[in-house]
Amino acid sequence: VSNAGVGMAGPLECQSLAAMQSLMDTNFFGLVRLVKEVLPDMKRRRGGHIVVISSIMGLQGIVFNDVYAASKFAVEGFCESLVVQALRFNVAISLVEPGPVMTEFEAKLYEEAKRADYSRTDPETADIFTNLYLRNSKDVFTSLGQTPEDIAEHTLRVIEAARPPFRHQTNVAYTPMAALKHADPSGALMTDAFYKLVFKYDAVLRLSLR
């Protein structure tokens, strides 16, 4: 089970390349290093199961989570490319894709975001992040967040499955979000829906979450 991960949220201009590279080293290359260690032996004995804790953000990018989403997209692409070869050797690969999970990981991330220096971005972007994104994110976690124990139960079901799924989403509330991309290959439907949700109907979003 690959579960190492760090987060990053905020305006892109305020994030250093070194911090981005460090995040990718944990979230993506940490998985790659693990798979390189365990896969050869699994292939030799023609059996095994690699379970990767990914994220719904590996399927759909979310505003102000650019680099974190990129790391999870990398995880998804890596596993999607590898799974066919692995199956030839009777090795299963499963991606567990949670939405928000209520842990110290998230609490620490948002506390750091509140204290961060936003002088390297424009005032409008800083205002959108602090007064729209952070405020709405707290409501999202309160309303839709899962406990670590819930994610563990989902992961256990994936591990024990007779025919392990390649993808397993843990939160049905996020199924429509991922479905928007498949409904319109041009991306216009998804982009328009998220733009309106963030910038036009944010008050409705907060009210519905509460």
Side-chain angles (χ1 to χ4, degrees):
V1 178
S2 174
N3 189 38
V6 292
M8 181 183 288
L12 184 66
E13 306 95 309
C14 301
Q15 297 163 345
S16 70
L17 283 174
M20 297 178 195
Q21 289 168 335
S22 177
L23 180 144
M24 291 296 293
D25 189 52
T26 299
N27 291 10
F28 176 62
F29 288 106
L31 166 65
V32 173
R33 286 192 288 269
L34 176 67
V35 172
K36 280 175 66 69
E37 287 295 323
V38 301
L39 186 61
D41 185 59
M42 289 181 174
K43 288 167 75 174
R44 274 193 295 272
R45 55 190 170 88
R46 302 189 95 81
H49 189 188
I50 298 169
V51 179
V52 181
I53 307 302
S54 180
S55 169
I56 194 69
M57 275 194 261
L59 300 174
Q60 171 63 60
I62 301 294
V63 63
F64 290 119
N65 284 269
D66 324 279
V67 180
Y68 179 77
S71 72
K72 292 301 185 178
F73 267 72
V75 164
E76 295 270 334
F78 174 73
C79 292
E80 193 169 280
S81 299
L82 194 61
V83 67
V84 174
Q85 178 205 144
L87 285 173
R88 176 70 178 177
F89 294 88
N90 196 37
V91 176
I93 297 176
S94 296
L95 289 157
V96 177
E97 299 163 333
V101 185
M102 295 177 290
T103 66
E104 290 181 9
F105 175 100
E106 301 295 343
K108 182 171 179 284
L109 182 65
Y110 289 111
E111 281 304 313
E112 289 174 353
K114 287 178 184 177
R115 296 192 304 267
D117 176 14
Y118 299 115
S119 61
R120 283 174 290 174
T121 191
D122 59 277
E124 185 177 358
T125 299
D127 180 66
I128 292 167
F129 178 66
T130 55
N131 292 321
L132 278 181
Y133 175 81
L134 288 180
R135 185 171 55 172
N136 286 341
S137 291
K138 191 170 290 186
D139 291 340
V140 166
F141 272 84
T142 302
S143 178
L144 301 176
Q146 294 176 273
T147 65
E149 291 78 12
D150 193 15
I151 304 302
E153 289 292 336
H154 278 273
T155 305
L156 181 61
R157 290 201 292 272
V158 168
I159 291 170
E160 293 181 335
R163 297 185 65 181
F166 175 56
R167 284 192 169 96
H168 176 81
Q169 293 177 24
T170 68
N171 194 327
V172 295
Y174 284 82
T175 302
M177 186 176 79
L180 281 175
K181 291 182 76 169
H182 298 288
D184 176 18
S186 78
L189 180 62
M190 176 273 299
T191 304
D192 184 61
F194 275 86
Y195 181 87
K196 288 176 178 174
L197 195 63
V198 173
F199 295 114
K200 288 191 175 183
Y201 305 127
D202 64 293
V204 176
L205 171 65
R206 287 199 306 275
L207 184 63
S208 64
L209 288 170
R210 288 170 184 169

